Amino acid sequence: MSVSVPAYANACIAPSRSGSAVYLVGVPASQEGRLEAYSINLANINTPTATFLGNQTDSTAWSSTAAKACIPYPGNTANANSPFLLQQFGAKSFLTNVYTNGTMEPWSYFNQTGYVSPKLFSLTGAVGGFDWIVAVANRTSFTTNSPWNALRLNCTGPSLEANLEHQLGMFLRLTTYPTGNPLVSVGTYVAASNTPVQGYHVVFDAAGGGVIYQTLNSASTQTGDRIMTLSNPVDVDMGGIKLTTNVIPVTMVGVAYLLDQASDGSTVLYTITPSASNKLTRVPLTGNVPPFSSSMVATSMNANIVLYGSSSSSGPSAVFNIFDTVSKGWNGPGLVVPPPPPTSVSNPSPSTTSKPSGDNSGSGSKSSSTGGIIGGVVAAVVVIAVAAFLLVRHRRKKNQTPPPAPNKEEGIPQQQNYQPQQQQYNAHQSYYGAPGKDFQTSPVQAQANPAIFQAQNQHGYDPNQSYTYTPPTLSAVSQHGQPQIFRPQSEINSQGGYSQAGYPASSGAVSPQTPYTPSTVVASPQYSHQNQAQYQGYAP
């Protein structure tokens, strides 16, 4: 018989195998100690119907003010009547198995250990009739100095007796202990029917970070198998996401989801797939979303997330909503418009909204703005063109070579084209030039108007007197610098460097005398085999 859906303050929901219904468990505030179970048909999400399954009453165990979690045994696919685990949180964390026909096994709890919140009670492995949970307890272990521990829960025990080590579950030690300041944790698992148990445990801390651990354990039923491995810790890439204290974790086999409260009070959804990526991302949504409530709970069913208790007002709510992870849309009553998601700077799409025909203020403003932009561009182009013209003109004037001054010596031919010097010269040896021939300019410093060497008569020698000039023989020595070639008299006088070499008159053949070397110039090196190495380093 169908009844209206009850509204519980601290309830939990578990999926059915049909994919069209969920199980709802809670304690009414008006009947403390009465644990009730319902089957909720969600074929019409806007008007769901409830069917009562059963109850268990014990005022010393069940409370309407204690948070609860409903956890299926997804690995127990062979049992059509497989139960789900009901875990209540508090100083005494009571638990029981609830079957689909409404049967509830007698409650029990772990001696001297309680679990603090369903937000820190994560399913990280499922094989056969076993579930592996990593959770935070209400006490810190003396041996591990951590509140974290692990549980292996068994849905196939004959009954729930006080000795949970051999019936419902057992404690497991961890190889690694996560942060002591956790905010929320969520698990994923690899669906399998054999060992080893594999999954992931993602822990987000109160400081705004997160860490992913791989989980590994054996499905052995031996009581001595007491270790769960948490290995390969990897930091979560939060991507700028900041979770609130109201965040709700949801496990969907290998994918984890987090429902959180947006700044406007609506529901925002994040996801992470720890087996493939360490990045936490915001789920893009289509359409409206449910308002967020701190008392709402969620579970996964096939490719959907089922939400119970969403409400924009305080107090419990009997509203159900469904999120389709494929279409990215919410369904159900009471949806609200979500805030725009934070995005990077991008070009917005053009608006298709048209203005009334009588309103020309927008077009006039647009035209004047366009004219101003065009005028500014034209003015800038003109200024740039003028500046470029003046710059080019200035450079051309600067680079132009002035025309050579006319030669004041009459009868002296103009300079011929430059030819490379073939003969080695001594920088301090004077030369007679052949009559009527020009000397080549120095390859190091060419002159615009080279002066021609002319025989000097002021020393009293007879130009008609025959003489013989024998140039000195130089040893072949490699030079590292350019040779210093004879510099014309006009150049020497203008630079104030060397005095003119003089040659006294002679009645016979004249051998050139050693030229005068100014005291301001370094003495000429002696050309001999003993100082060739020294000369090679000399640079004129």
Side-chain angles (χ1 to χ4, degrees), residues 240-257:
I241 295 173
K242 297 185 181 300
L243 302 175
T244 72
T245 57
N246 295 323
V247 62
I248 300 171
V250 178
T251 296
M252 187 180 288
V253 191
V255 183
Y257 290 90

Side-chain angles (χ1 to χ4, degrees), residues 143-204:
T143 58
T144 65
N145 197 31
S146 174
W148 289 93
N149 60 39
L151 301 171
R152 186 174 68 187
L153 303 175
N154 183 5
C155 72
T156 59
S159 63
L160 291 176
E161 300 176 356
N163 187 3
L164 295 179
E165 292 292 316
H166 301 282
Q167 298 300 329
L168 182 62
M170 65 173 66
F171 289 110
L172 301 175
R173 289 183 291 112
L174 297 171
T175 57
T176 302
Y177 293 89
T179 176
N181 189 27
L183 175 68
V184 66
S185 67
V186 62
T188 65
Y189 60 91
V190 177
S193 59
N194 57 3
T195 57
V197 180
Q198 300 178 47
Y200 291 87
H201 183 227
V202 187
V203 182
F204 298 92

Side-chain angles (χ1 to χ4, degrees), residues 36-233:
E36 301 176 341
Y38 287 84
S39 174
I40 310 298
N41 188 340
L42 300 176
N44 186 342
I45 190 63
N46 292 303
T47 57
T49 58
T51 300
F52 178 76
L53 297 178
N55 72 283
Q56 183 182 98
T57 302
D58 191 327
S59 60
T60 63
W62 310 116
S63 172
S64 64
T65 60
K68 301 172 182 66
C70 294
I71 301 175
Y73 294 92
N76 193 30
T77 56
N79 186 356
N81 194 34
S82 178
F84 60 89
L85 172 73
L86 171 66
Q87 176 71 62
Q88 183 174 272
F89 297 88
K92 282 188 177 181
S93 296
F94 295 92
L95 68 161
T96 185
N97 278 334
V98 179
Y99 290 85
T100 57
N101 60 3
T103 301
M104 301 181 187
E105 293 190 359
W107 56 260
S108 188
Y109 63 93
F110 289 98
N111 189 28
Q112 298 181 347
T113 300
Y115 292 96
V116 298
S117 171
K119 299 178 182 181
L120 297 168
F121 198 84
S122 304
L123 176 63
T124 59
V127 173
F130 296 101
D131 279 354
W132 280 261
I133 307 292
V134 180
V136 173
N138 61 353
R139 66 185 181 90
T140 299
S141 170
F142 292 107
T143 58
T144 65
N145 197 31
S146 174
W148 289 93
N149 60 39
L151 301 171
R152 186 174 68 187
L153 303 175
N154 183 5
C155 72
T156 59
S159 63
L160 291 176
E161 300 176 356
N163 187 3
L164 295 179
E165 292 292 316
H166 301 282
Q167 298 300 329
L168 182 62
M170 65 173 66
F171 289 110
L172 301 175
R173 289 183 291 112
L174 297 171
T175 57
T176 302
Y177 293 89
T179 176
N181 189 27
L183 175 68
V184 66
S185 67
V186 62
T188 65
Y189 60 91
V190 177
S193 59
N194 57 3
T195 57
V197 180
Q198 300 178 47
Y200 291 87
H201 183 227
V202 187
V203 182
F204 298 92
D205 57 46
V211 178
I212 301 171
Y213 299 91
Q214 267 189 299
T215 60
L216 185 67
N217 197 261
S218 170
S220 171
T221 59
Q222 300 299 319
T223 58
D225 181 22
R226 301 292 186 90
I227 297 177
M228 175 180 281
T229 301
L230 265 62
S231 61
N232 302 328

